[in-house]
Amino acid sequence: MTWKDYSLGSLLRGAAGGNRHWRQAWRSPEPKSHYDVVIIGGGGHGLATAYYLAKTYGITNVALIEKGWIGGGNTGRNTTNVRSDYMFPESAAVYDLALSLYEGLARDINFNIMLSQRGWLTLIHNQHQMEAAQHKANWLACNGVDGEIIDVHSVQRMLPLLNTGPGARYPVLGAFLQKRGGTIRHDAVAWGFARAADRLGVDIVQNCEVLGFEQSGGRITSVTTSRGRIGCRKIGVAVAGHSSMIADMAGFRLPVTSRCLQAMVSEPIKPILDHVVISPGTGVYINQTQKGELVMGGVLDLYQSYGQRGTFPTIEKVVTSAVEMFPAFAQARLMRHWAGIVDIVPDSSPIIGQTPVANMFINCGWGTGGFKAIPAGGMLLAHSLAKEAPHPLAEKFGLDRFRSNRLVDEGAAAGIAH
Amino acid sequence: MTSAKHGYRLAAGGVIDRQRAVSFSYNGDHLRGYAGDTLASALIANGVGVIGRSFKYHRPRGFYGTGMEDPNSMLAVRDAYGFEPAIRAGQVRLSEGLEACSVTGWPSPEFDVAAIAQLASNVLGAGFYYKTMMWPNWRLFEPFIRRSTGFGRLDSAISRREMHHRHEVADVLVIGGGPAGLTAARQLAHSGLKIVLVDDQPRLGGALLWEAVSFDGVPASEWVDRTVDALKADANVTILTSTMATAAYEDNAFTLVEQRADEHGVRAEHHWKLRAANVVLATGMVDRPLLFADNDRPGIMLGSSVRRLIGEFGVAPADRLTVYTNNDSGYLTAIAARKAGIDVPVLVDTRPQGQAIHAAAAEQSGVRCVFDSQIEGTSGYKHLKAVTVRGSSTVESIRCSGLAVSGGWTPLIQLAGHRGVKPVYQERESMFVVRAAPPGWHVIGGAAGSLHLTTTLAQARAAASAIGSDRGVPMEQGADVSVDCMSYGSISPQWIPDCGARSRMWVDFQNDVKVSDLDLAARENYVSVEHLKRYTTLGMGTDQGRTSNINGLAVMAGLTDRTINAVGTTTFRPPYSAVRMGTIANRRDGDLHQPRRYLPAHAIHEKLGGVLEDFGWERPDWYRSNGADRESAVEAEMVAVRNHVGVFDGSSLGKIEVTGPDAGLFLSRFYVSNMATLKPGGVRYSVMLKEDGVIFDDGVVACLGPNHFLAGPTSGNAEAVAGWFEQWRQTEWPTMRVAVAPVTANWASIAIAGPCARDLLARLEPDFDISPEVFRHMQVREGHVAGVPARVARVSFTGELQYEVSVPSRYAASLLNTLLERGSGLTPRAVGMEAWLRLRLEKGYIHLGSDTNGRTTPLDIGMGGIVAKRKDDFLGKRSLSLAFATSEEREQLVGVEAIGGTLQAGGRILASGHERTPCPSEGYITSACFSPSLGKSIGLALVVRGNERKGETVSVFSDGSIIRCRLTSPTFYDAENKRLNT
Amino acid sequence: MRLEAQTVFGTSLDPAVPGAIFTSPSATLRERSDIGCILLSAAIDGNGILDAAGEAVGVELPATAGAYKTQEARFALMLSPRSWIVQCNIDEETALVGRVNATFADRTINASRFSDYLCWFELCGPDGTLLLKEGGFLSLERDGFRVGHAKRTLIAKVTAVLIRLDDQAWLIGIERSRARYFADWLISCACLDR
Amino acid sequence: MIVIRCPYCNEQRTEEELSYGGEANIVRAIEPDTLSDTEWTDYLFMRNNPKGLLQEQWCCAAGCGQWFKIERHTVTHEITEVIRFDQQFSCKKDS
């Protein structure tokens, strides 16, 4: 396809010409009065939905509307980790689809998302966790997803700075390793999908806030926005922490509460951590970016919030735990901490598909783990929008599961947070 | 090292102590400075010009500032107490023997081979990496990129700095000890209010330490001393110097980092959490750079930094200093330089002469001023050699070794930003200011954009008065002082110069972001301020955009025809200045990281060779005294229980007294079994559910007497269950006459189990009848054993005759000792967790959290009959009639026996007809062990439709291999319960 | 036969200073194993029964949080609107529990043995406040914790019952299993030179 | 750091001393058996999640152990009302 013009060759040509040949990565069109599909939310999931809607389902008369700037929500605030070591087959299928799509994404959308499959290590601190890890390894094998348990010596080789000594508050017996897990440059996912969707004809409309809906016969006929009224045949929603507000405007309720999830980085230091590590003992996860910053995250803040500002006790918990795990990190300096608003549902599994409004479809509930699922979330919501029926992989993730209590609770099954 | 045309020490001046020389080293060279120097001022005084290299193009970098705004001077620093892998030289106070090393440039900042990257600078423009390195795989390129990034290497040396936590409450927190903060604090002092004044420098005074100011005709330093003395005279005033207010949070909570230094370095760090009713933000402002071609050469420095170098440290940055400004504060720099004997060939003002209020003063001190002029370019690679000045009709080249620039001022309002304040751009002063301060805050002085000291002092007095009247305290009326100093005047910014190549104009010196990169970002539609920042990495370095942000977004505003307010700033995120992670972690390492909980008989377990593990409590997993290794010891412990008697410390088991007329009814609302019908002396096992129908906890409830129950939740849930009871009592059933009292730690519970358990109990001389026909299984007695108050429950987790003896915890050690010592002939053994869990597995009792998971209901573990019998309601019951609980896919608890091979917990049970993975699976082995009593490998499993599949043979996948197993009843041992009823 | 009682720190007391877990010029920490206590829990509201309960234990039960009532050798403080700790000599615990439970046969107020639930520390010395404040604010109000008052709060991640005996002396009740950790914490705060 | 003055013990408590109970005013039916699946699962799962004022319940966990209610803004985190559990909020919100 002609729009795939990012390459070393074009960089060299551009350099020779003063870099004046580069086009807009995506346009900023005025919204039209009517679209086949309006997607609300310019984060990773919304942008991926737009892209797959155009690419896979051939629907291109699409507007993606975003309150602020694309990728400005959780897509641009997360700790950039990806993995697919989920146990329930239905979860494994979704997250593994996401990881597989990520694996081919840079070339698919001609944008370097810097997928770095450096390996995801879940430390094992005690016998109970070891049994849980064994169960997980066995279950993943049944699901056809890679993952293995490595012993403490291998862990020490991979993480030479890890505190495995006698003074460690959390002893290390080994780790669960998913080699395909790793990190991705988060902004690149948003920008790459935006550019690709734009090139396929999708209108990306930023600074366009939803103010309400006009409904008729149980269907939404148009979206009232800060940039005017936009008519639509179908509507897709992918707004993570703000899902309840959209649902409110459309007249239904969701089992969602919005909470702050914090993340933080240190000042950049020379490479010292080559993998992504999570300690179930503390709930803290760490990786080191290409720029050398240590990126850390941990548990949710205590209370419901749309504040996008974290609270210090959580920072203290995360930093203290990171230093307990890696005593040398005491010397690194915390440079910045921030928060995103995540959409927490009772079983920490996504909600994808039909809402009580006939032509509105939703993708939410990813909680703390939405980034790693972006391509799959987009693909599955696009399918719902195109076919008005759930994608086979999304059947168990409908909103109706909260009526039968058939939850997909990975964390509960694992006995540890995920 | 280098010639004197670089920096040098002035013969006089500064507040350094010239009597106290301090020796230190830089990249192995031994240098000298003075007490009172920062590492930056000492290095400049020693003529160090190139301090590092930029990130992308490895351009030579010199000191651009003297404090934390400096994007360039990251160094590794070691003092007597600790090591900083990378810190700005301006943030380090010189100490004896300090060692500093470069962290950028290889082999040295002076000569860096990677500077060759500059040749490819057109290719390496903004975001170039998003457009390439996709084939075959980013992982191929990543290692090269990673190796080139980062400042400094962590080392493994343990810091000797002392760490403390401090928590404090104040009426007023004054942040900044300059003229504004000092004035506000001085006026609030002696009012009875508790005031905390913090300043990040070791010496109070702020800009008064270096600006030419006098108060009532005397030098500012005297006013500072007088003010500080007055503050110190008030016991309610706490002055924290070398203390950075690092972050502001809700409810006016702050974190502060206080450094306590001696002549050898930073000896201690105190991490403060401070909450204040009122806040005075008096953090001042910093100069910003001007954009022009080749504005990044070493030798170019912010004007305010030049004045500070001269005034505070007695250091000249160069012997021949050009000044470039778009506002009146540049004149202050020129005049200060002249006074210090520095040659100032020219002052270049972008504005017309009419605007320059200090032009005459500058010319009087011998400075030639040119107006309506710009610097078009500079020359010199590792050090500035000359600048080209373009006037309205002239172009001249000025030879100089230094260039002081002032492109306007940036108030330091980051802390307000932490609270969600959106700064507003004020056109007239060309700066972002706080319009709506957080509740209780007063922003004053430079932080409020004040450009004249008189205004600053008035703002400080007004803030103090407002706080005083707010709090209703008497306030000393501060005497008006007459201030003699030069105003910063006015500004007319010109963001993008109309001459010079944009690809040579640096906006971000650390990350090598140039105007041409912003051009490219604008062309590619990365025009939102956050996109701009992320795409170009503008302001994302360790300086967090202190010098680059405003210029960057002003340029973007120009490129996209928007106002600066429309572009907006990026959000200020805490901390204000990077904080060592070790400072935050402080002393919370090892055992202090998370409290450990110890059993009351801990010392005895240690004496017995107990291998302690953290099960929420430190509990013996097995005892070395029972065997050489875990397996043999565990087997010996199991055999002891099955054949004679074992002694197990179950003290961590929860104990909650539930009392009052409605206690039984209350408990029956939680448990699946009806506890209201329990008679005094009776004990009943059951499970409790959350409202979604999932098992939350299990355990026994004992009825100790009328209206008096003792609930026994699991060790791990003891506190959660007590909280759960209390929450329901308070929030849903406030009229029930019931009290909930968790008393777990008060009682030590030692279980004795085995055929000889009764004999062993008898040796404790209980003062009640323990004969089997009187004290039966599932009964409880209160009385005395071994002469102390005791509660004894006859319950069984092991399948054997078992008593759980509870005594006040102070007797735990003695009880355990007595049981093991008095048991002669009965050969009692101490039994650890592992043996205990295997014994119950043989019996088929569930272990909560192993054999149940977060989706297991009582219907899944064979308690459906009990649920069906309950007519009244209990928590979670309604959910058991939802589709999920009764569906065909439920996993139900069964036993499994290996047919050859060894079972392991976690093995997946494959769907029938499947023998290799990947394939569908239908459940898993929840617990497994080799049973010495049965001589085979057994386990429990949660299996889809398990109840109807007993007897079926299944394949279990575990650790890469498949073994065959038979599904059975969960009870492997003594199905008739003869043993526990003996 | 009678089992031997042992204090939490029974085996690790510093022999140099009898009863002290640590001592420095500015602070001393002791275990007060002589202090016993019982826990009163009321199943109903109402001040009427408070008087009766107070009579049974020999000290008035305070009706507000933070108040610390003393009467001869008995001390009472409110844990929650429906529960109180009554301090007594450890030998009196059994008798006090018996008296209350005899007074309230229907257990509208129940007395539980509580001497072994809490480990009581006594912290004395000019640095006492500083040491405690390493673990938390103690009070978010300026001068919010006066002499003669009690408070339940979080210190160094564990809940503590605190009584301010005088300017430089505190009684601190810590759940027994966490007492060793708590002492370790205070020692680590005190060991460093300020 | 959220700070709330507990209406029972009258102490100001930091969030570390408190536990969070989510939305207030969710009342359990006296006879859950009479509820439809929809009504019951509404009670179980559906929650108010406004961007604005939210009435919620907190517990003075490390203090006096009492549950109380507050009204709090979910963006600014400003607390507009704190009441004992058996009291009514002064102005009932619409949702």
Side-chain angles (χ1 to χ4, degrees), chain A residues 17-313:
Chain A
N19 282 318
R20 272 187 286 275
H21 73 305
W22 298 112
R23 295 197 275 159
Q24 290 191 334
W26 58 88
R27 299 162 295 125
S28 291
E30 280 303 313
K32 297 189 289 187
S33 64
H34 194 276
Y35 290 91
D36 289 341
V37 176
V38 168
I39 297 164
I40 303 171
H45 283 272
L47 290 160
T49 304
Y51 172 65
Y52 290 116
L53 207 50
K55 182 200 168 201
T56 310
Y57 300 95
I59 300 174
T60 57
N61 184 22
V62 175
L64 179 143
I65 59 178
E66 161 59 44
K67 179 176 62 168
W69 38 282
I70 59 166
N74 296 341
T75 304
R77 293 164 192 267
N78 67 87
T79 51
T80 76
N81 300 320
V82 292
R83 61 186 172 93
S84 70
D85 55 344
Y86 282 73
M87 300 187 293
F88 283 127
E90 52 270 38
S91 305
V94 169
Y95 288 99
D96 213 50
L97 169 66
L99 188 50
S100 312
L101 289 170
Y102 266 143
E103 284 166 336
L105 195 62
R107 274 176 280 167
D108 186 28
I109 61 175
N110 183 227
F111 203 102
N112 188 358
I113 60 164
M114 300 180 212
L115 169 65
S116 169
Q117 292 182 292
R118 48 180 73 179
W120 168 282
L121 287 145
T122 307
L123 298 178
I124 298 166
H125 297 303
N126 57 41
Q127 203 53 45
H128 182 75
Q129 286 172 12
M130 180 61 91
E131 285 178 9
Q134 278 160 349
H135 181 205
K136 181 167 161 173
N138 293 334
W139 205 348
L140 261 58
C142 291
N143 295 338
V145 178
D146 67 305
E148 62 194 285
I149 292 172
I150 57 172
D151 64 13
V152 62
H153 304 294
S154 310
V155 176
Q156 284 163 334
R157 268 196 302 280
M158 293 171 80
L159 308 172
L161 293 178
L162 184 69
N163 185 4
T164 54
R169 180 65 182 86
Y170 304 96
V172 175
L173 308 187
F176 185 88
L177 168 66
Q178 189 184 30
K179 287 182 179 152
R180 284 166 70 224
T183 63
I184 292 178
R185 172 81 195 135
H186 54 6
D187 291 327
V189 173
W191 301 339
F193 271 127
R195 172 170 165 269
D198 175 271
R199 298 293 191 264
L200 297 178
V202 173
D203 281 355
I204 293 168
V205 186
Q206 299 184 92
N207 301 307
C208 180
E209 185 172 4
V210 174
L211 304 173
F213 298 105
E214 285 174 20
Q215 297 198 28
S216 154
R219 301 175 68 86
I220 288 173
T221 53
S222 71
V223 188
T224 318
T225 76
S226 56
R227 296 182 66 174
R229 191 180 149 281
I230 304 174
C232 61
R233 287 208 307 118
K234 298 177 200 172
I235 197 156
V237 180
V239 297
H242 287 79
S243 298
S244 301
M245 299 173 60
I246 296 293
D248 236 23
M249 291 184 213
F252 61 93
R253 298 186 86 196
L254 287 171
V256 169
T257 53
S258 296
R259 301 275 288 271
C260 267
L261 180 67
Q262 301 202 60
M264 59 210 81
V265 291
S266 74
E267 288 187 341
I269 47 179
K270 286 288 171 194
I272 200 158
L273 176 64
D274 295 333
H275 310 278
V276 187
V277 191
I278 180 169
S279 158
T282 60
V284 168
Y285 41 93
I286 315 178
N287 72 63
Q288 188 177 19
T289 66
Q290 271 104 12
K291 280 194 70 186
E293 300 146 332
L294 297 168
V295 184
M296 296 162 282
V299 296
L300 289 171
D301 280 4
L302 186 64
Y303 38 81
Q304 266 169 261
S305 173
Y306 287 87
Q308 293 194 330
R309 296 186 309 285
T311 175
F312 189 70

Side-chain angles (χ1 to χ4, degrees), chain B residues 664-676 687-693 728 732-733 736 866-881, chain D residues 27-35 40 43:
Chain B
L665 188 64
F666 179 75
L667 284 169
S668 73
R669 291 194 179 174
F670 291 92
Y671 286 96
V672 167
S673 310
N674 189 352
M675 296 302 176
V687 298
M688 68 175 83
L689 318 180
K690 286 272 168 104
E691 282 283 61
D692 62 359
W728 284 94
E732 287 286 339
W733 306 317
M736 285 189 101
I866 297 171
V867 172
K869 262 200 342 225
R870 271 300 283 277
K871 293 293 169 256
D872 54 339
D873 187 35
F874 55 88
L875 293 183
K877 186 185 182 194
R878 176 65 181 84
S879 290
L880 297 179
S881 55
Chain D
V27 179
R28 186 175 197 268
I30 305 285
E31 291 178 20
D33 283 343
T34 62
L35 299 187
W40 177 251
Y43 158 77

Side-chain angles (χ1 to χ4, degrees), chain A residues 327-344:
Chain A
F329 288 6
Q331 292 173 346
R333 301 173 82 88
L334 187 73
M335 180 165 77
R336 194 167 71 243
H337 69 75
W338 65 92
I341 306 168
V342 296
D343 40 347
I344 300 298

Side-chain angles (χ1 to χ4, degrees), chain A residues 6-8 11-12 15 18-20 22-28 69-70 76-77 106-107 110-112 114-118 126-128 131 134-135 138-139 141-144 167-170 185-188 191 206 266-274 282 288-293 296 308-310 312 316 319-324 328-339 403-407 409 412-413, chain B residues 74 83-88 122-123 128-136 138-139 142 146-155 157 165 249-250 255 271 273 418-420 511 520 523-526 528 530-531 534-535 540-542 544 573-575 578-582 584-585 588-591 593-596 614 630 692 849-850 853-855 882-884 887 889 905-908 910 917-919 921 924 957-959:
Chain A
Y6 285 177
S7 67
L8 181 59
L11 268 178
L12 293 172
N19 282 318
R20 272 187 286 275
W22 298 112
R23 295 197 275 159
Q24 290 191 334
W26 58 88
R27 299 162 295 125
S28 291
W69 38 282
I70 59 166
R77 293 164 192 267
R107 274 176 280 167
N110 183 227
F111 203 102
N112 188 358
M114 300 180 212
L115 169 65
S116 169
Q117 292 182 292
R118 48 180 73 179
N126 57 41
Q127 203 53 45
H128 182 75
E131 285 178 9
Q134 278 160 349
H135 181 205
N138 293 334
W139 205 348
C142 291
N143 295 338
R169 180 65 182 86
Y170 304 96
R185 172 81 195 135
H186 54 6
D187 291 327
W191 301 339
Q206 299 184 92
S266 74
E267 288 187 341
I269 47 179
K270 286 288 171 194
I272 200 158
L273 176 64
D274 295 333
T282 60
Q288 188 177 19
T289 66
Q290 271 104 12
K291 280 194 70 186
E293 300 146 332
M296 296 162 282
Q308 293 194 330
R309 296 186 309 285
F312 189 70
E316 196 169 30
V319 170
T320 302
S321 299
V323 172
E324 173 60 19
F329 288 6
Q331 292 173 346
R333 301 173 82 88
L334 187 73
M335 180 165 77
R336 194 167 71 243
H337 69 75
W338 65 92
R403 293 304 177 199
S404 59
N405 197 13
R406 284 175 201 258
L407 306 190
D409 198 335
Chain B
M74 300 294 282
F83 174 65
E84 300 279 0
I87 186 167
R88 271 169 293 275
N122 276 347
V123 183
F128 76 92
Y129 30 80
Y130 296 121
K131 295 172 179 158
T132 183
M133 297 187 278
M134 291 176 261
W135 190 91
W138 164 250
R139 278 290 272 170
E142 188 185 27
R146 284 194 76 197
R147 235 171 282 154
S148 70
T149 64
F151 293 105
R153 293 173 200 283
L154 304 186
D155 84 1
H165 293 273
Y249 298 95
E250 255 81 24
T255 51
H271 194 238
K273 274 163 257 177
H418 297 174
R419 294 291 306 277
N511 280 350
L520 178 60
R523 193 173 307 131
E524 295 190 288
N525 206 17
Y526 294 93
S528 137
E530 282 287 346
H531 287 162
R534 289 151 183 261
Y535 190 61
M540 292 185 77
T542 57
Q544 291 284 287
R573 296 292 184 186
V579 181
R580 262 168 33 94
M581 287 171 61
I584 295 171
R588 292 213 157 277
D589 60 350
D591 279 3
H593 181 260
Q594 187 66 31
R596 286 189 199 274
D614 186 354
R630 187 172 189 251
D692 62 359
S850 295
N853 62 44
R855 300 305 296 152
L882 292 174
F884 102 106
S887 91
E889 314 137 32
R908 286 299 296 180
L910 303 183
T917 56
C919 68
S921 60
Y924 65 107
F957 174 81
S958 185
D959 201 13

Side-chain angles (χ1 to χ4, degrees), chain B residues 489-513:
Chain B
S490 67
I491 179 172
S492 10
Q494 180 193 20
W495 299 108
I496 312 178
D498 38 32
C499 55
R502 290 179 174 196
S503 62
R504 306 292 300 177
M505 295 175 193
W506 268 260
V507 183
D508 184 316
F509 299 107
Q510 187 176 101
N511 280 350
D512 277 329
V513 181

Side-chain angles (χ1 to χ4, degrees), chain B residues 684-973:
Chain B
R684 193 166 287 161
Y685 168 83
S686 197
V687 298
M688 68 175 83
L689 318 180
K690 286 272 168 104
E691 282 283 61
D692 62 359
V694 171
I695 296 173
F696 165 39
D697 196 50
D698 73 337
V700 296
V701 173
C703 181
L704 296 173
N707 301 342
H708 189 195
F709 294 82
L710 182 67
T714 56
S715 301
N717 275 341
E719 287 170 344
V721 169
W724 183 239
F725 283 172
E726 192 58 29
Q727 180 175 0
W728 284 94
R729 184 190 76 70
Q730 288 182 31
T731 63
E732 287 286 339
W733 306 317
T735 56
M736 285 189 101
R737 295 165 301 163
V738 64
V740 175
V743 295
T744 303
N746 195 68
W747 297 88
S749 297
I750 311 292
I752 46 185
C756 304
R758 188 175 294 112
D759 299 337
L760 187 56
L761 178 58
R763 294 191 189 184
L764 293 178
E765 301 165 10
D767 64 352
F768 47 86
D769 190 348
I770 61 166
S771 57
E773 56 280 6
V774 176
F775 187 11
R776 297 219 293 268
H777 182 55
M778 298 309 273
Q779 288 194 330
V780 66
R781 295 289 180 268
E782 272 194 293
H784 290 78
V785 297
V788 304
R791 290 168 173 170
V792 180
R794 185 173 164 192
V795 290
S796 184
F797 192 60
T798 55
E800 299 296 337
L801 170 65
Q802 183 182 325
Y803 299 93
E804 203 177 275
V805 181
S806 297
V807 295
S809 292
R810 77 193 95 137
Y811 302 114
S814 180
L815 175 61
L816 198 54
N817 267 335
T818 306
L819 285 167
L820 293 172
E821 283 162 14
R822 294 250 174 157
S824 60
L826 305 175
T827 56
R829 254 185 212 283
V831 177
M833 278 292 279
E834 181 60 22
W836 200 246
L837 287 175
R838 290 188 192 179
L839 288 160
R840 68 87 210 176
L841 172 55
E842 290 180 336
K843 182 65 182 170
Y845 289 154
I846 62 161
H847 179 229
L848 193 90
S850 295
D851 306 307
T852 61
N853 62 44
R855 300 305 296 152
T856 309
T857 75
L859 311 184
D860 305 328
I861 59 163
M863 294 183 78
I866 297 171
V867 172
K869 262 200 342 225
R870 271 300 283 277
K871 293 293 169 256
D872 54 339
D873 187 35
F874 55 88
L875 293 183
K877 186 185 182 194
R878 176 65 181 84
S879 290
L880 297 179
S881 55
L882 292 174
F884 102 106
T886 52
S887 91
E888 280 286 284
E889 314 137 32
R890 296 303 301 173
E891 290 178 353
Q892 295 161 336
L893 190 74
V894 295
V896 274
E897 282 178 12
I899 309 171
T902 305
L903 281 173
Q904 276 188 328
R908 286 299 296 180
I909 292 152
L910 303 183
S912 51
H914 292 278
E915 293 296 327
R916 53 166 6 123
T917 56
C919 68
S921 60
E922 299 188 320
Y924 65 107
I925 311 292
T926 56
S927 308
C929 74
F930 180 79
S931 162
S933 340
L934 306 170
K936 58 187 171 189
S937 181
I938 58 166
L940 293 175
L942 282 167
V943 185
V944 173
R945 285 176 291 103
N947 283 343
E948 53 194 71
R949 293 171 63 181
K950 286 167 190 165
E952 205 176 286
T953 303
V954 296
S955 296
V956 175
F957 174 81
S958 185
D959 201 13
S961 58
I962 286 176
I963 55 170
R964 301 287 292 166
C965 302
R966 188 177 300 108
L967 302 184
T968 67
S969 144
T971 313
F972 297 98
Y973 183 77

Side-chain angles (χ1 to χ4, degrees), chain B residues 162-171 192-194 236 253 260 267-268 270 273-275 471 586-588 591-600 602-604 617 657 659-661 705-708 719 726 729 734 736-747 763-765 782 784-789 807-815 818 822, chain C residues 1-8 11 33 36-37 39-45 80-83 90-91 93-94 97 101 104-118 129-143 155-159 174-194:
Chain B
E162 281 177 18
M163 293 296 168
H164 284 286
H165 293 273
R166 307 294 294 268
H167 293 82
E168 203 48 77
V169 185
D171 292 311
L193 292 178
K194 184 166 171 179
N236 278 322
R260 297 191 170 189
R267 183 177 57 77
H270 290 206
K273 274 163 257 177
L274 183 133
R275 184 166 180 254
R471 313 274 307 192
N586 221 279
R587 293 195 318 285
R588 292 213 157 277
D591 279 3
L592 296 181
H593 181 260
Q594 187 66 31
R596 286 189 199 274
R597 303 185 70 182
Y598 296 99
L599 293 168
H602 183 73
I604 309 298
W617 295 58
E657 293 203 36
T659 54
N707 301 342
H708 189 195
E719 287 170 344
E726 192 58 29
R729 184 190 76 70
M736 285 189 101
R737 295 165 301 163
V738 64
V740 175
V743 295
T744 303
N746 195 68
W747 297 88
R763 294 191 189 184
L764 293 178
E765 301 165 10
E782 272 194 293
H784 290 78
V785 297
V788 304
V807 295
S809 292
R810 77 193 95 137
Y811 302 114
S814 180
L815 175 61
T818 306
R822 294 250 174 157
Chain C
M1 174 178 10
R2 188 174 158 83
L3 297 178
E4 209 179 296
Q6 229 168 21
T7 75
V8 178
T11 52
S33 54
C37 60
L39 176 69
L40 299 184
S41 333
I44 56 172
D45 288 323
S80 77
R82 284 206 195 167
S83 61
I90 192 156
D91 302 329
E93 181 193 33
T94 302
V97 166
N101 291 340
F104 300 96
D106 65 348
R107 306 260 172 181
T108 46
I109 286 189
N110 178 66
S112 304
R113 293 178 180 279
F114 217 51
S115 301
D116 297 66
Y117 187 91
L118 293 175
T129 309
L130 203 59
L131 286 184
L132 289 174
K133 280 194 170 182
E134 287 228 8
F137 286 98
L138 297 191
S139 177
L140 279 163
E141 258 141 314
R142 191 186 151 189
D143 311 322
I155 301 184
K157 292 191 176 184
V158 296
T159 44
I174 301 287
E175 193 253 10
R176 185 183 184 108
S177 72
R178 296 175 170 110
R180 193 177 289 259
Y181 155 82
F182 183 76
D184 287 346
W185 167 262
L186 279 188
I187 290 168
S188 92
C189 297
C191 279
L192 296 165
D193 155 48
R194 295 161 185 275

